[in-house]
């Protein structure tokens, strides 16, 4: 029996000396070397008892070895579970407790904090640092560079990616081999990736965008990547001349436009710029074209669905829209109350069906049922309209979600923590326009009678409990929260009130 993802993405590169990764320090990792590295790591997994279907939880910095660990999980039939490096040990404890991995891999700096957490879950812990060193690497070095690939079918799980929910509890989205491969195939075709492509890769590899959209597409197209540890403007400017294409979140584009070195000449050789994970302002799209002559290709997706829509490669890339459904993806726009499909041009919630849509939430059958219609459509919670030419435009969110610099923040999770702080009666967390991150997190807090609000004390109280990017950048006190007749906090009114927080 074949291994669906390994056979398509990795096996064809066996023995291929072609560069796969260009690194910041000038080193190059060939496809062949990458495959050998991942095979060695696959041996380590198996030798430690990681069986097909077991989870491998990974919170490590971006490196070729970290990407090889993903490849090793595919080859060994394990389920890759990447975690944002910004998550605190308290957050990681939840994921590890929920997913029950056989193995946890973390940075040496996190070893002490995560050892008891791994132990409690019955998992082994190995380390891997940003420079590729650690106990995992040491063990891998002594292993064979060939590994007999474990068979995996289309419906077998390849990865879990945790996404938060409106209740504040994270859910493990289960992604199958078919989900990932079908989407990679669609994107290679839609965006015309081939073996001549060199993708400038500065995204993190613990999310759909940087891992599946970017890496799977390049592996399938047999291209190469300039694999930078993170987005640093000087490195982007330095490496752009060697790239053919780039994928980014909107913050990448606003930061590039803010730099006078980012010129038409610097980008004249580029084939493609894509944007996603958060709304790209139409004004950024227009300013980008004015500066470079390129029109950014905006697409739309979700952890649960991979990529769903894309602007066309050849036709008009329309600013402020996310284009059309990918060829194998069905979409419809539905009235959230009546569940009827809305007439063309009207606003409703987007629903999606296709081989790209995940299998469900790990051990949460009820949550899974709630978010799927009986006919298999997944309810995205994104509020959209489709214009007369068929372009999908995202006009809002039916879910209470903030997207900051491409990272999702669920207000409920932050509110629960703020409400525990001394002197806080209740809180509401909102996203308001932010010049760098698109949306910035603001907390509006009602102090208890007799208490006064001290912004710093509250921030100190939540530090270490949730990732830094989720923490409010400002906290304001109000006497009471605006509520509607049903008693529900009116977040829109709060957003209007604090809209100027980060402006000017
Ligand atoms: C960092 N910080 C953020 C932040 N990133 N705050 C809010 N939102 C963010 N996204 C905070 C840090 O905690 C720190 O706070 C300060 O900003 C500087 O940290 P940094 O590490 O220097 O940040 P920087 O390198 O500037 O990172 C910004 C960024 C990064 C935009 C480059 O966040 C990024 O790479 N985002 C991409 C996210 C992504 O890949 N999303 C895809 C999801 S998949 P302090 O106070 O300590 O200084 C998905 C599906 C789909 O959504 O459709 O693609
Ligand atoms: P995540 O759960 O991290 O996968 O985030 C998915 C969410 O990001 C979607 O439900 C959308 O709300 C948002 N998103 C992704 N791409 C875009 C885009 N191009 N424009 C607007 N929102 C987007």
């Amino acid at each position: 029996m074949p291994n669906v993802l390994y056979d398509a993405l990795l096996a064809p590169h066996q023995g291929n000396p072609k560069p796969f990764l260009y690194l910041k320090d000038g080193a190059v990792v060939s496809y062949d070397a990458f495959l050998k590295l991942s095979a060695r790591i696959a041996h380590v997994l198996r030798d430690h008892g990681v069986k097909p279907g077991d989870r491998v939880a990974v919170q490590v910095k971006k490196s070729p070895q970290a990407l090889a660990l993903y490849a090793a999980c595919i080859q060994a039939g394990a389920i890759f579970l990447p975690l944002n490096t910004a998550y605190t040990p308290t957050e990681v404890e939840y994921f590890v407790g929920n997913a029950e991995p056989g193995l946890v891999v973390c940075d040496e700096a996190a070893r002490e904090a995560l050892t008891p957490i791994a132990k409690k879950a019955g998992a082994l812990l190995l380390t891997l640092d940003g420079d590729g060193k650690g106990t995992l690497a040491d063990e891998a070095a002594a292993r064979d560079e060939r590994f007999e690939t474990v068979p995996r079918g289309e419906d077998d799980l390849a990865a879990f990616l945790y996404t938060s929910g409106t209740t504040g509890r994270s859910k493990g989205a289960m992604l199958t081999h078919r989900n990932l491969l079908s989407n990679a195939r669609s994107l290679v075709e839609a965006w015309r990736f081939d073996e001549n492509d060199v993708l400038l890769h500065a995204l993190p590899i613990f999310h759909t965008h940087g891992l599946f959209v970017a890496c799977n597409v390049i592996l399938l197209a047999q291209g190469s990547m300039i694999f930078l540890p993170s987005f640093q403007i000087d490195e982007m400017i330095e490496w752009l001349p060697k790239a053919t294409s780039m994928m980014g979140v909107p913050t990448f584009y606003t930061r590039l436009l803010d730099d006078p070195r980012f010129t038409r000449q610097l980008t004249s050789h580029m084939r493609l710029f894509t944007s996603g994970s958060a709304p790209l302002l139409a004004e950024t799209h227009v300013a980008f074209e004015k500066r470079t002559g390129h029109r950014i290709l905006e697409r739309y997706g979700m952890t649960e669905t991979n990529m769903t829509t894309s602007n066309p490669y050849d036709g008009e890339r329309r600013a402020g829209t996310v284009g059309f459904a990918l060829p194998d993806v069905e979409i419809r726009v539905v009235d959230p109350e009546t569940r009827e499909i809305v007439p063309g041009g009207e606003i409703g919630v987007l629903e999606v069906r296709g081989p790209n849509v995940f299998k469900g939430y790990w051990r949460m059958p009820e949550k899974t049922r709630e978010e799927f219609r009986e006919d298999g459509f997944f309810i995205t919670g994104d509020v959209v309209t489709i214009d007369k030419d068929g372009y999908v435009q995202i006009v809002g969110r039916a879910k209470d979600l903030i997207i900051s610099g491409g990272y999702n923040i669920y207000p409920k999770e932050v509110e629960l923590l703020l409400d525990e702080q001394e002197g806080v009666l209740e809180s509401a967390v909102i996203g308001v326009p932010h010049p760098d991150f698109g949306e910035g997190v603001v907390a509006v807090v009602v102090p208890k009678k007799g208490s006064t609000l001290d912004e710093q004390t509250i921030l100190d109280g939540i530090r270490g409990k949730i990732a830094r990017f989720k923490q409010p950048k400002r906290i304001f006190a109000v006497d009471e929260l605006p509520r509607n007749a049903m008693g529900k906090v009116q977040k829109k009114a709060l957003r209007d009130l604090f809209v100027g927080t980060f402006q000017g």
Side-chain angles (χ1 to χ4, degrees):
M1 185 173 144
N3 177 313
V4 172
L5 269 175
Y6 193 85
D7 294 351
L9 300 184
L10 295 150
H13 307 298
Q14 213 95 50
N16 186 352
K18 177 184 167 148
F20 172 41
L21 304 175
Y22 295 99
L23 307 180
K24 186 176 127 162
D25 62 4
V28 178
V29 180
S30 71
Y31 267 110
D32 186 46
F34 181 77
L35 256 69
K36 285 177 173 155
L37 180 60
S38 68
R40 290 176 194 276
I41 298 175
H43 276 289
V44 178
L45 303 185
R46 197 184 52 195
D47 293 353
H48 283 296
V50 173
K51 296 183 298 301
D54 282 355
R55 277 74 58 205
V56 176
V58 178
Q59 188 189 36
V60 298
K61 296 201 183 91
K62 184 175 169 185
S63 68
Q65 290 78 6
L67 190 61
L69 177 53
Y70 162 59
C73 285
I74 295 175
Q75 192 172 17
I79 300 172
F80 186 66
L81 193 176
L83 294 166
N84 193 323
T85 47
Y87 291 152
T88 63
T90 315
E91 289 168 300
V92 174
E93 183 166 16
Y94 169 78
F95 300 121
V96 169
N98 186 260
E100 296 179 349
L103 173 66
V104 174
V105 183
C106 71
D107 198 277
E108 173 60 31
R111 187 173 50 84
E112 205 177 311
L114 297 192
T115 297
I117 292 169
K119 203 167 169 193
K120 197 164 135 202
L124 175 81
L125 185 134
L126 293 173
T127 63
L128 182 64
D129 290 351
D131 60 5
K133 301 203 168 76
T135 54
L136 176 70
D138 291 345
E139 291 200 20
R143 300 301 203 281
D144 197 279
E145 60 191 33
R146 278 158 315 190
F147 181 88
E148 198 176 328
T149 305
V150 172
R152 292 272 93 183
E154 291 205 315
D155 277 327
D156 285 324
L157 298 178
F160 274 14
L161 263 64
Y162 273 82
T163 83
S164 279
T166 39
T167 55
R169 270 192 72 207
S170 285
K171 303 164 287 184
M174 301 188 287
L175 295 152
T176 65
H177 281 241
R178 179 200 285 115
N179 294 153
L180 301 183
L181 183 56
S182 69
N183 215 235
R185 284 198 170 125
S186 298
L187 297 178
V188 167
E189 173 104 18
W191 298 343
R192 312 273 204 278
F193 272 90
D194 67 23
E195 69 279 8
N196 298 314
D197 266 296
V198 180
L199 179 76
L200 184 53
H201 192 303
L203 288 160
I205 55 167
F206 43 68
H207 279 315
T208 297
H209 197 166
L211 184 61
F212 303 140
V213 181
C215 299
N216 286 358
V217 160
I218 287 299
L219 282 164
L220 191 64
Q222 315 209 351
S224 310
M225 293 191 273
I226 297 166
F227 206 60
L228 300 177
S230 67
F231 181 96
Q232 303 295 336
I233 191 74
D234 290 348
E235 290 171 9
M236 298 301 282
I237 301 286
E238 180 192 335
W239 284 95
L240 255 167
K242 302 192 178 69
T244 62
S245 47
M246 186 191 120
M247 296 180 186
V249 294
T251 301
F252 284 20
Y253 291 106
T254 50
R255 287 188 182 181
L256 286 168
L257 283 169
D258 274 345
D259 196 298
R261 294 170 296 174
F262 186 69
T263 59
R264 186 173 283 253
Q265 202 196 346
L266 190 77
T267 59
S268 60
H269 66 289
M270 288 289 280
R271 180 180 78 75
L272 180 65
F273 290 94
T274 70
S275 176
S277 307
L280 182 75
L281 294 178
E283 67 191 56
T284 309
H285 191 282
V286 171
F288 196 88
E289 185 178 12
K290 204 164 158 222
R291 175 87 65 90
T292 66
H294 292 284
R295 288 178 81 92
I296 298 172
L297 186 156
E298 186 172 7
R299 63 29 168 212
Y300 154 82
M302 228 179 137
T303 302
E304 288 92 332
T305 63
N306 297 287
M307 296 306 99
T308 292
T309 71
S310 172
N311 266 281
Y313 187 84
D314 285 327
E316 183 197 352
R317 299 176 193 169
R318 200 169 280 186
T321 81
V322 293
F324 314 109
L326 289 165
D328 54 354
V329 178
E330 291 174 82
I331 59 170
R332 67 186 184 196
V333 185
V334 170
D335 181 317
E337 307 295 327
T338 64
R339 300 192 170 181
E340 300 287 330
I341 295 179
V342 302
E346 287 190 17
I347 288 173
V349 171
L350 186 75
E351 297 188 351
V352 184
R353 185 168 69 180
N356 54 317
V357 178
F358 76 134
K359 200 168 181 173
Y361 297 112
W362 167 249
R363 290 189 179 154
M364 290 189 185
E366 271 168 36
K367 271 268 153 229
T368 305
R369 255 194 309 280
E370 274 170 28
E371 303 204 13
F372 277 95
R373 297 278 182 230
E374 269 168 20
D375 57 4
F377 274 83
F378 172 72
I379 309 163
T380 63
D382 287 308
V383 179
V384 308
T385 168
I386 301 185
D387 73 15
K388 61 176 184 358
D389 301 324
Y391 285 82
V392 176
Q393 190 181 354
I394 299 175
V395 295
R397 293 176 204 135
K399 47 196 174 187
D400 192 12
L401 162 69
I402 300 168
I403 305 184
S404 176
Y407 287 145
N408 288 4
I409 296 141
Y410 280 84
K412 193 77 196 163
E413 184 185 2
V414 188
E415 288 161 4
L416 288 172
L417 207 54
L418 288 170
D419 293 350
E420 287 172 8
Q421 303 307 305
E422 211 179 305
V424 174
L425 181 68
E426 59 173 349
S427 62
V429 168
I430 52 171
V432 297
H434 189 286
D436 187 29
F437 294 128
E439 286 184 280
V441 179
V442 164
V444 186
V445 167
V446 181
K448 279 187 182 143
K449 232 185 162 72
S451 301
T452 48
L453 167 107
D454 180 53
E455 194 172 4
Q456 202 49 53
T457 310
I458 298 182
L459 285 174
D460 289 346
I462 63 171
R463 199 181 306 282
K465 297 204 171 122
I466 47 167
R468 196 91 178 100
F469 70 86
K470 299 179 189 170
Q471 296 175 18
K473 300 212 183 285
R474 287 304 313 271
I475 302 184
F476 297 102
V478 293
D479 292 337
E480 58 180 346
L481 297 173
R483 293 184 189 274
N484 66 14
M486 312 286 288
K488 193 167 180 279
V489 175
Q490 289 177 299
K491 292 214 163 165
K492 168 137 184 6
L494 286 176
R495 279 194 292 270
D496 291 344
L497 199 60
F498 294 101
V499 68
T501 305
F502 302 114
Q503 284 163 343

